[in-house]
Amino acid sequence: MAAKTMQDLLIEELRDIYHAERQLTKALPKLAKAAHSEQLRTAFESHLEETRGQIERLEQVFDELDTRTRGKHCDAMEGLISEAREIMEMGLAPEVQDAALIAAAQKVEHYEIASYGTVHAYATACGLTKVAELLEQTLNEEKETDKKLNMLAINDVNKKAIQASGKKAA
C-alpha cells in the first residue's frame, strides 16, 4: 500500500518495526545462548522479555489506530540479525565474541531507537497523543537498553576481550 497521508506512513512504519520486533524475539535466545558472560546472557534474556512487552504495546497502538495488526517484512532487522549470526560462526575467543555480540546488539538498538523515534514523531505530528505516549515508552526502553549494553561493554566485556587478546586493558 502506498502511503497517502502521514497516518498511512505511520502505519507502514509501525508494521515494519512490528516485524522487526518479532524477528528479534527469535534471535535473542540465540544471542543469549552464544554469550559467555553471565551478565551479557542475562541482559539478552531480560531484553527478550522487554521485547515481548514492546510487541504487546505495538498491538495496543494498532488497536488505537483501529487498524489490523500485521507486520511488513523488515529487511534492516533481517540484515542486523544476519550479522549477529555471522559473529557467532566466526570462531572467536569467548571474551572477544561477547564484545562483538554487544556491538551487534547495539546496532539493533540504534536501529530500534531510530525507528521508534520516527514513529513517535509521526504520531505526535498526527495529534495521536495516546499512540505517541505508547511509542515514547518503548523508545525510552530502547535507549536504556543501549545504555546498559554500553556500560557492560566498557566496564567488563571489552576489558576481558582485550586481556584474552594478550593485551593490557587501558
Side-chain angles (χ1 to χ4, degrees), residues 29-76:
K30 294 172 185 162
L31 293 174
K33 186 176 181 183
H36 294 88
S37 159
E38 189 59 40
Q39 285 181 290
L40 182 56
R41 181 177 299 114
T42 300
F44 286 145
E45 290 167 350
S46 173
H47 194 56
L48 174 60
E49 291 309 309
E50 190 172 69
T51 300
R52 289 179 178 140
Q54 293 167 349
I55 289 170
E56 289 174 12
R57 199 173 299 128
L58 282 170
E59 290 167 351
Q60 282 182 274
V61 166
F62 284 119
D63 285 346
E64 284 289 324
L65 295 172
D66 196 30
T67 191
R68 192 162 65 102
T69 301
R70 67 178 170 87
K72 176 183 94 175
H73 187 80
C74 181
D75 293 326

Side-chain angles (χ1 to χ4, degrees), residues 145-162:
T145 296
D146 180 54
K147 190 185 301 183
K148 287 177 186 174
L149 287 169
N150 200 46
M151 294 310 295
L152 179 58
I154 291 168
N155 294 326
D156 183 52
V157 172
N158 289 353
K159 290 176 183 177
K160 290 178 180 172
I162 292 291

Side-chain angles (χ1 to χ4, degrees), residues 12 15 32 34 46 58 80 88 95 100 107-108 113 115 117 165 170:
E12 285 299 301
R15 288 183 171 148
S46 173
L58 282 170
L80 291 169
M88 292 184 278
E95 299 85 357
K107 287 179 184 181
V108 167
I113 290 166
S115 296
S165 299

Side-chain angles (χ1 to χ4, degrees), residues 92-138:
L92 299 170
E95 299 85 357
V96 175
Q97 179 170 302
D98 282 351
L101 289 174
I102 288 177
Q106 284 192 283
K107 287 179 184 181
V108 167
E109 291 310 311
H110 294 184
Y111 174 74
E112 289 179 312
I113 290 166
S115 296
Y116 280 107
T118 297
V119 292
H120 175 262
Y122 289 173
T124 301
C126 291
L128 300 165
T129 306
K130 175 69 173 169
V131 170
E133 288 171 1
L134 290 166
L135 296 170
E136 184 176 30
Q137 187 177 348
T138 300

